[in-house]
Amino acid sequence: VDAEPRLRREINANVANGARMYDYMLGGKDNFAADRELADRLIAAQPGALASVRANRAFLKRAVRYVTEAGIRQFIDIGSGLPTMENTHEIAQRAAPDARVVYVDNDPTVIVHGRAMLADIGPTAVADADVRRPEAILRHSEVRRLIDFDRPVAFLLLGILHYVTDQEDPYRIVARFREAMAPGSYLVVTHYTGDDNPHEVDGSIKMVRKSPASTVPVARTRDQIERFFDHLEILDPGIVPVHQWRSDRPYSLDQRFYLWAGVGRAGVGRSTASS
Ligand SMILES: C[S@@+](CC[C@H](N)C(=O)[O-])C[C@H]1O[C@@H](n2cnc3c(N)ncnc32)[C@H](O)[C@@H]1O
């Protein structure tokens, strides 16, 4: 059975949705009035939000370039979002045309648009799966087709772990991905935080909770985010505001931020302990 009609039926234009709000904030066209309305309110409540989503994409570019230059040729980009200007496969395959990328998302709009964009594009695929079921991602046929877990892989978890509640245990999920990482693999994370602006972030979360939105983010502290990197070597400059990670542009240390960013590497001979 063709999955496309089923996915299209699942798209609900009346409920604001994280992937489409994010697309709108990045200047994309794959969004509806409900998404734009809530995103505009979010931007009004959190004036740095637009700069933050752009900084997140700029970080994706720097981090993917970095790990590709370090020799990585396989990427699993989980919570990949709607295709936008520069996507992981474009960044990686520019440096290494043989780089393989599997995009994973559970949003029907993302899957439909992702598949349309990737039709006929080399070693790249889209998997319809939920980060809260890491085992299903690791066993997914598209992941198995393109990813060899005996070789290093980069797991990208940008802007997604804050959609996993404490009850759903994001540490268990990331530990499962870490177990699948061959030595020399990378974990790349950005995560929503109120560390810099607790009142603003608290207000935004309350606003989203009261709106007809599909998902409400969970802000976490730097220490909580650092725990995702247990058993990994955290690369310099550490867990830092997203715009500061190996940035080639000057930035102000006073700049507001809503996302922590970090990159960890699985060492050779590390134990595969889960946390
Ligand atoms: C804010 S966007 C981030 C997009 C991209 N990773 C980036 O950082 O630019 C979050 C994405 O995570 C996806 N997402 C949210 N919860 C998810 C889940 N439980 N499983 C898979 N994807 C999920 C959303 O559909 C959305 O596309």
Side-chain angles (χ1 to χ4, degrees), residues 19 22 56-57 77 79-81 105-107 110 129-132 158-160 163:
Y22 187 74
N56 189 48
R57 289 307 291 189
D77 184 347
S80 48
D105 210 289
N106 71 340
D107 185 296
V110 173
D130 194 307
V131 71
R132 292 166 295 189
L158 276 70
I160 181 175
Y163 293 118

Side-chain angles (χ1 to χ4, degrees), residues 8 12 19 38 62 81 96 99 121 139 141 152 154 217 230 256 258 268:
R8 288 197 178 277
N12 185 346
L38 183 55
R62 296 196 301 279
I121 293 185
R139 288 209 199 107
S141 56
D230 278 357
R256 293 177 184 198
Y258 305 92
V268 178

